Amino acid sequence: MPEIKKVAVVGGGIMGAGIAGFFANIGIPAHVFDLKLELAQAAIEKLTDAKAKIPLLYSRKNAGLITPHATDELELVKDADMIIEVVPEVMKIKQDVFKNIDKYRKTEAIVTTNTSGLSVSDMVEHCSDSLKQHMIGTHFFNPVRFMALVELIPIAETKPELVDFLYDFFLTCGKRPIIGKDTPNFVGNRVGIYMIMKTFQLMQKYNFTVEQVDVITGPPLGNPKTASCRLSDMVGIDTLVHAATNSFENCLSDEENTSFDPPDFLKRMMAENLLGDKTGQGFYQKVKKPKFQKLYLDLKSFEYKPTGKYEHDLIRVAKSYVRPEERIKAMVLGGDDPVALFARELVLGSAVYALNRVGEIADDIATIDNAMKWGFGKALGPIELLDSFGLEKSAGMIADLGLKMPELLNEIINTTGSVHEYRTGRSFYYQPGTHQMIEEKTVAGALFLKQLRAENRIVRENLNTRLIDLGDGVLCLELDAKMVPNMNPVDDYVISMMEQAHEECSKGGDFKALVISNQAENFSAGAQLQLILDFSKEKRFDLLEDIVNRFQKANLANWHAPFPVVVAPHHLTLGGGMEITLGGQARVALAELYGGLVEVGVGLLPGGGGCAMLLGQFLRETAAQKPGPMPPVLKAFELIGFGKVSMSAQEAIELGYLTERDHVVLSPDLQIAKAKQVALDMLDDFRQNPPFDYYLPGRDGYLVAAYNIDGFVTAGQITDHSAKIAKMQVKVLTGGDQASMLNPVSEEYILGLEREAFLSLCGEPMSQERMAHMLKHGKPLIN
C-alpha cells in the first residue's frame, strides 16, 4: 500500500475540518476543498479559535499543514495519497463528487467516505473498477480528535490489503478502528441510536422527566455524564432524527424497526428548531438572566423548567461502587422499583438487539461491543455486560421481559458459557460459529501491563503502586490507586514505591533502568488533596513536612539517578503527577497530555519539587541564549502562578513543561514499549545528571515581581489571598535572600524554600477553603 504523505478532504464543515486536523496533528499535510474558498478557510479558522471549548488541534501551529481550496480546484487531488469525502449526507451529491474524484485521482490513491450511514457501494456504483478497489468507508466520530472510534466499511470490490493497511494505520495513530459491514448506519449508529430511541420509549413508559432519565442513564448504567438527552443535544436533534429515520426506512426486516420511528416529541422539537447545542435549545437550555440557570424541557407542557438534583436510593447505591459492572448490576437487579424496571428493560433489550445484529452489521461480538465503548463512551459493551449477571441469569431475565431469546446467546451458554474473558491479561471474545474464544487484535509491538501482571512479573506491590519487570533489565513503576483508579493521586504509597524502585535499580541486580507510567484513564491528577487538607486542619505540619520532603527527594533522586529514569505521562498529569514528570531524565508523553502545575487552584504552590525542577529546566534550556536569570523565573511563574495546563503533549513542549528532546507517541498501546526502548537507548552512553547551581535574581527580582503583583490587587484583578500565594511563588523562584546573579544557590536550598512556602500556605484558612471547595465541587474557589 502507498505511504500516506498527503491527504485531500473534500468537504469542509465541522467534520471535514476535524478530519483535516487529525492528519495535521500527526504531521500529514491536508488539503480541504469546499464549494467556495471562503468556506474552506472558515472551517480551518475554527480549528485555531483560541476560545474553542474543544481544541481539535494539538497546537494552533498545526493549522499551517492545512491548505484551503475551492472545489473548482479539485484536480489537485491528483497529488493526494488518500482522498476523504465529507460532503452533506445526500446520495446524489456524494455520487457526483466521487465521479469527479475518479477523474483526477492517481491510480493507487485510497478513496474514502465519512458517511455516517449511507451505502458506501451505492456512492461509487458509477465509478471505475480501480476506484472501487481502493474505496472504503472511514466513519470518524465527532469530535474527531477525542473520539477514538473509526469505522472501516469495505465494499465487495475493496482490496483486502487496503482494509488491513488502514486498520493498522489508524491503530498506530491512536485511533480504535473496527471493521463493519455496508449496512444502514453501520455498527456504532445502528446499535447506539437504537439504545437512545429505546431510552426515549422507556422514558415515556415510566413517566420520567428529561432530567431524571439522564441521571439514570449516566454513570449508574456505565455511561458518561452526558447520558442520553444531553448527548442528543450535543449530537444535534436533527442529526439524531436523520440517523434514526435512516434505520427506520432502510432496515425494514429489523425486528425493532418501529423503535427507530422518531417519537412525536422529537418531531415537534424539529419543527420548533429545538435542535440542541447548535440552536441553544434542545432537551436543555441555559439562561443567564436574571440569573444563570440550567433548564430542561418538560415533554408534556413543552416548557422549560429549572433542573434540580434528582436523587433515588437505588442510584445512590449504584454510585457507591467503583467498578461500572457493579453499578449496572445494582441498577438492573434492584427489584421492581420503576428505576430498576427501566434499567432492566434498557440493558437487556439493548443486549438482545446487539446480539441479533451479529452477522448482519459485523462478523463478531467484539466489533459491536467495541463500537459502543469507543464511539459512545460506554464502560462495557451491551453484549459482554451479560457476563456480569451470568448468562443463564441473563437468559431468565430476558424471558421474564417477554423478549425472544437470541439464538447466539443460547449457543454461547451451551459452549463457552461466557461472552468475554481475560486470560493472562489478554482479551478474548466468543467467535460465533467456531464455539471458541478468539483473542482480540492489538497493535504490533505493544506492551500491556495487565498482561505482565498476569504473567507474574510483579516485583513489589503496595495498595496504590507496583513494580513490574518489563524485561531486558527495565523496571516499571505503575501508578494504580485502588480506590480512585481514574485519578491515581500521589500519596505515601507512591512515594514509598519510588524509593523502593531506586533500591531495585541500584543494587546491581536484575534492573538497570526505570520507567514510571501506567495504562489507566489518567497518569495522575495530583496529590492526595483530602490528606493534605486533613493534616492542615489538624495542624499536623510535622507529618506534612515529612511527606513533602520525601516526595521532593524522590523526584530529585530520579533526576540524578545513576541509571536511566523515563517518565511516560498521559491524559491528566496535574500537580504531583507533573512533578513526577519533571523529575524524569527523559519523557515519553502521549499526544493527549493535559499537564500542568495547578496547585494555585487549591491555594498552594507545587511542593514536591515542581518549582525547583521547572525553574531548573528553564534555566538549562535557555542557558545557551544567556538571557539572564529573570526571564526563566518569569516563564516558570507564568505557568505556576496561573496554573496553566497543556491541551496536548505538543503544547506542553511549547509551554515548557516538556522539552524538544522529549518523545511523543500517538498510540497509548505503544507508550510503555517506547518508554522502555528510550530507557535502553540511554544506557549506551549514560551520563548521570550532576548537581545543578541556580543563578537567580534574589531579593531584587522578588521586589520587582511583588510590586507588579500589588498592582494587580490595586486594579482589582486578583484578591489579597491570591497575591499572597503569588508572592510566595515568586520568593521561591527568585531564590530568596541568599540568591544573587553572582552567588548561586543549590537545589536543596530551592527545595527548602519551596517546602517552607507550601507548609505556610497549608496553614492559611483561605487556602484550606480553596482545598475544601475543590474536593466538594471539583472547581477552584477564588477567595
Side-chain angles (χ1 to χ4, degrees):
M1 299 306 302
E3 184 180 355
I4 300 176
K5 296 181 179 179
K6 182 185 294 185
V7 301
V9 180
V10 183
I14 294 173
M15 288 305 297
I19 292 169
F22 163 75
F23 283 99
N25 281 337
I26 61 177
I28 298 176
H31 293 256
V32 177
F33 296 81
D34 214 325
L35 289 174
K36 296 180 179 180
L37 178 62
E38 293 79 11
L39 293 174
Q41 289 173 329
I44 297 169
E45 286 171 2
K46 287 182 179 179
L47 292 176
T48 61
D49 184 0
K51 297 180 181 179
K53 292 182 179 179
I54 305 176
L56 296 180
L57 294 178
Y58 292 155
S59 167
R60 281 187 282 175
K61 294 179 181 178
N62 293 350
L65 289 172
I66 307 175
T67 306
H69 301 275
T71 48
D72 58 13
E73 296 183 298
L74 196 62
E75 72 274 5
L76 295 177
V77 302
K78 63 183 174 58
D79 298 320
D81 303 302
M82 184 174 184
I83 305 167
I84 307 165
E85 170 273 311
V86 201
V87 302
E89 291 285 86
V90 179
M91 182 60 76
K92 180 65 169 62
I93 296 176
K94 290 181 181 289
Q95 288 175 332
D96 290 343
V97 166
F98 280 112
K99 287 178 187 177
N100 285 325
I101 289 173
D102 205 5
K103 293 178 187 177
Y104 304 118
R105 59 175 283 271
K106 60 185 179 184
T107 307
E108 296 301 315
I110 301 166
V111 183
T112 84
T113 173
N114 186 58
T115 180
S116 59
L118 298 182
S119 170
V120 179
S121 58
D122 286 355
M123 291 178 198
V124 296
E125 61 179 343
H126 302 300
C127 294
S128 66
D129 290 341
S130 173
L131 183 143
K132 291 177 183 177
Q133 291 171 2
H134 294 83
M135 179 70 190
I136 188 170
T138 52
H139 178 211
F140 292 82
F141 277 57
N142 188 40
V144 175
R145 173 180 167 185
F146 297 101
M147 297 303 292
L149 181 64
V150 178
E151 293 181 308
L152 301 180
I153 311 297
I155 60 176
E157 298 87 348
T158 306
K159 290 183 176 182
E161 58 266 34
L162 171 62
V163 182
D164 293 340
F165 170 80
L166 284 178
Y167 187 96
D168 291 338
F169 170 80
F170 283 119
L171 200 57
T172 303
C173 292
K175 289 294 184 184
R176 298 296 186 188
I178 62 170
I179 300 172
K181 298 190 176 186
D182 191 11
T183 55
N185 285 337
F186 310 138
V187 182
N189 282 344
R190 179 71 172 277
V191 178
I193 298 299
Y194 169 78
M195 295 175 76
I196 292 175
M197 302 305 282
K198 185 70 175 177
T199 298
F200 292 159
Q201 287 181 356
L202 295 172
M203 177 169 65
Q204 293 180 300
K205 176 179 177 178
Y206 289 102
N207 199 31
F208 287 126
T209 67
V210 164
E211 180 186 23
Q212 289 170 338
V213 84
D214 270 1
V215 174
I216 295 168
T217 60
L221 285 182
N223 296 317
K225 292 180 179 179
T226 48
S228 304
C229 298
R230 179 71 193 101
L231 175 64
S232 300
D233 274 358
M234 293 171 63
V235 169
I237 303 302
D238 53 341
T239 303
L240 174 66
V241 169
H242 171 81
T245 301
N246 188 36
S247 288
F248 180 62
E249 293 178 349
N250 295 295
C251 300
L252 300 179
S253 61
D254 190 319
E255 75 278 6
E256 288 285 340
N257 174 265
T258 57
S259 295
F260 289 103
D261 188 10
D264 290 341
F265 69 79
L266 277 184
K267 295 174 182 176
R268 183 173 174 181
M269 291 175 74
M270 289 280 289
E272 296 186 14
N273 205 38
L274 306 179
L275 304 183
D277 290 357
K278 63 181 70 176
T279 60
Q281 291 178 300
F283 284 113
Y284 294 96
Q285 179 187 17
K286 293 179 180 179
V287 295
K288 296 182 178 179
K289 294 181 179 181
K291 65 177 182 178
F292 178 82
Q293 273 188 306
K294 184 178 180 181
L295 311 175
Y296 74 90
L297 183 65
D298 185 319
L299 298 180
K300 293 179 180 178
S301 66
F302 249 69
E303 296 176 350
Y304 284 96
K305 297 183 177 180
T307 57
K309 189 175 182 181
Y310 177 61
E311 295 183 350
H312 189 280
D313 288 343
L314 186 57
I315 295 172
R316 193 176 297 111
V317 170
K319 286 183 175 180
S320 69
Y321 292 101
V322 174
R323 298 172 61 202
E325 55 266 45
E326 295 299 329
R327 294 199 299 268
I328 298 169
K329 282 175 67 176
M331 294 286 286
V332 171
L333 304 179
D336 295 328
D337 181 276
V339 170
L341 293 173
F342 176 101
R344 197 174 306 147
E345 285 195 53
L346 178 59
V347 169
L348 294 169
S350 298
V352 168
Y353 185 78
L355 280 163
N356 288 334
R357 304 282 75 76
V358 178
E360 177 193 349
I361 65 175
D363 287 329
D364 52 50
I365 293 171
T367 295
I368 295 175
D369 272 353
N370 288 336
M372 293 298 95
K373 289 186 285 188
W374 301 336
F376 285 79
K378 296 183 179 297
L380 295 164
I383 303 175
E384 68 175 324
L385 180 55
L386 297 180
D387 283 334
S388 301
F389 310 115
L391 296 192
E392 292 190 3
K393 185 175 182 63
S394 297
M397 290 191 290
I398 289 169
D400 291 342
L401 291 172
L403 301 174
K404 183 179 178 181
M405 185 68 62
E407 293 181 8
L408 180 55
L409 181 56
N410 278 325
E411 178 185 314
I412 301 171
I413 290 173
N414 293 323
T415 51
T416 62
S418 64
V419 172
H420 176 242
E421 63 183 36
Y422 283 101
R423 299 179 193 163
T424 61
R426 293 172 169 81
S427 176
F428 289 79
Y429 263 93
Y430 183 83
Q431 182 64 34
T434 67
H435 299 170
Q436 294 179 346
M437 305 293 279
I438 304 297
E439 184 176 359
E440 284 193 84
K441 183 178 179 180
T442 56
V443 63
L447 270 178
F448 295 103
L449 298 178
K450 181 182 290 186
Q451 291 181 11
L452 298 177
R453 295 197 299 266
E455 294 169 3
N456 296 317
R457 302 276 285 275
I458 297 174
V459 178
R460 300 191 190 189
E461 186 172 18
N462 62 29
L463 184 63
N464 291 332
T465 59
R466 64 181 64 86
L467 298 179
I468 297 177
D469 181 358
L470 296 182
D472 301 312
V474 181
L475 190 65
C476 178
L477 192 161
E478 179 188 16
L479 307 183
D480 183 21
K482 302 298 187 295
M483 299 303 295
V484 276
N486 294 336
M487 294 292 105
N488 295 302
V490 176
D491 59 11
D492 188 60
Y493 291 105
V494 174
I495 299 167
S496 175
M497 195 59 79
M498 290 171 73
E499 295 164 345
Q500 293 177 56
H502 277 255
E503 294 176 14
E504 289 289 341
C505 293
S506 299
K507 63 184 183 183
D510 296 331
F511 303 109
K512 52 192 177 182
L514 176 65
V515 168
I516 303 177
S517 191
N518 60 23
Q519 290 173 323
E521 187 173 326
N522 296 294
F523 176 62
S524 173
Q528 226 306 0
L529 189 59
Q530 185 66 62
L531 179 71
I532 295 173
L533 177 59
D534 290 344
F535 281 3
S536 298
K537 285 185 172 182
E538 295 166 9
K539 302 187 184 302
R540 301 174 69 182
F541 297 113
D542 54 336
L543 293 178
L544 261 181
E545 182 172 15
D546 178 65
I547 292 172
V548 170
N549 187 34
R550 287 176 57 215
F551 189 36
Q552 288 180 330
K553 287 182 176 179
N555 284 320
L556 193 64
N558 284 340
W559 174 251
H560 290 299
F563 51 83
V565 177
V566 180
V567 182
H570 59 90
H571 299 103
L572 286 183
T573 301
L574 304 174
M578 178 53 70
E579 290 177 307
I580 292 174
T581 301
L582 287 166
Q585 300 166 16
R587 279 68 69 105
V588 176
L590 188 68
E592 295 295 346
L593 176 69
Y594 324 124
L597 295 170
V598 295
E599 288 83 354
V600 66
V602 291
L604 303 173
L605 53 66
C611 294
M613 289 184 293
L614 182 65
L615 178 59
Q617 184 163 287
F618 282 140
L619 289 167
R620 288 187 293 271
E621 292 299 307
T622 60
Q625 289 80 42
K626 298 181 179 178
M630 202 62 185
V633 167
L634 293 176
K635 194 171 182 181
F637 177 62
E638 183 181 6
L639 295 186
I640 295 170
F642 292 97
K644 286 192 175 181
V645 175
S646 73
M647 290 307 296
S648 67
Q650 186 174 345
E651 189 179 24
I653 293 171
E654 293 171 2
L655 290 173
Y657 287 122
L658 302 179
T659 74
E660 293 285 353
R661 295 183 303 282
D662 290 324
H663 306 263
V664 178
V665 296
L666 298 170
S667 169
D669 295 345
L670 294 173
Q671 188 180 18
I672 298 290
K674 177 65 175 179
K676 174 186 173 181
Q677 188 57 53
V678 169
L680 290 172
D681 291 344
M682 290 170 67
L683 287 169
D684 292 339
D685 186 26
F686 182 74
R687 296 180 182 179
Q688 186 175 358
N689 287 321
F692 182 73
D693 290 331
Y694 289 71
Y695 286 88
L696 298 170
R699 182 165 178 76
D700 290 343
Y702 169 79
L703 291 174
V704 172
Y707 177 80
N708 289 323
I709 292 168
D710 288 336
F712 288 133
V713 176
T714 302
Q717 294 176 302
I718 62 174
T719 66
D720 288 337
H721 188 59
S722 294
K724 177 178 284 190
I725 297 168
K727 287 180 180 180
M728 288 195 177
Q729 293 167 345
V730 167
K731 183 176 181 180
V732 174
L733 295 172
T734 54
D737 294 336
Q738 293 185 23
S740 75
M741 290 180 281
L742 298 176
N743 297 308
V745 291
S746 67
E747 293 166 317
E748 288 75 13
Y749 174 76
I750 298 296
L751 289 175
L753 291 177
E754 176 183 289
R755 191 165 59 249
E756 179 183 356
F758 179 85
L759 293 170
S760 176
L761 287 171
C762 284
E764 291 284 341
M766 297 187 85
S767 286
Q768 293 174 14
E769 288 175 13
R770 291 193 181 193
M771 286 186 260
H773 190 273
M774 177 64 75
L775 288 166
K776 184 176 182 180
H777 301 285
K779 59 180 70 173
L781 168 70
I782 305 300
N783 57 359

